[in-house]
Amino acid sequence: MNRRVFALALSVGLGLFLAPRLALAENHVGEAITHTKQAIEHGKMGHADVLVTHAQEALKHANAAEKEKANPHVKEGITHLDQAIEHGKMKHADVATTHAEEALKHLEAAGK
């Protein structure tokens, strides 16, 4: 009986310890999605500089999410955010927007 109680207590404790880490990773993905959507919105208006600002913020959150819990979709989203930033800095709003849209697809897949 004592072993069962100990095993149950250990399982619950471990679950409570890991739960906040998973929640933080999901929160970072959510923030990355929000900023990526804003980057796309501004990119479609031709505002490459504002696109870069939001893509950089999305990248910070995506990197934090990847650090907390590795995910191939987040990793691919990071790659496209990097490209969006690079092209946005060159004032190529259309190409940057395309990369931001691709990043969004991957980040949304990671958030599910």
Side-chain angles (χ1 to χ4, degrees):
M1 177 75 173
N2 286 339
R3 286 184 184 177
R4 289 183 188 166
V5 171
F6 177 75
L8 178 62
L10 183 63
S11 297
V12 169
L14 186 60
L16 291 173
F17 176 74
L18 294 177
R21 297 188 76 112
L22 296 175
L24 286 175
E26 289 174 7
N27 187 38
H28 282 299
V29 171
E31 286 294 319
I33 288 170
T34 299
H35 284 287
T36 302
K37 286 179 179 179
Q38 291 172 338
I40 292 167
E41 183 179 323
H42 286 282
K44 287 181 178 180
M45 291 187 278
H47 304 154
D49 54 338
V50 182
L51 179 148
V52 169
T53 301
H54 284 291
Q56 287 173 331
E57 193 62 30
L59 183 61
K60 287 179 193 174
H61 286 287
N63 281 324
E66 180 67 13
K67 188 179 236 183
E68 288 175 5
K69 183 180 177 203
N71 183 307
H73 284 295
V74 173
K75 188 174 181 180
E76 190 66 24
I78 289 169
T79 299
H80 285 287
L81 286 171
D82 282 331
Q83 288 295 310
I85 292 166
E86 183 179 326
H87 286 283
K89 286 180 178 178
M90 293 187 285
K91 305 296 182 202
H92 301 158
D94 54 343
V95 177
T97 301
T98 301
H99 280 291
E101 289 170 335
E102 194 62 30
L104 180 62
K105 289 178 191 176
H106 289 285
L107 292 170
E108 287 179 333
K112 291 182 181 179

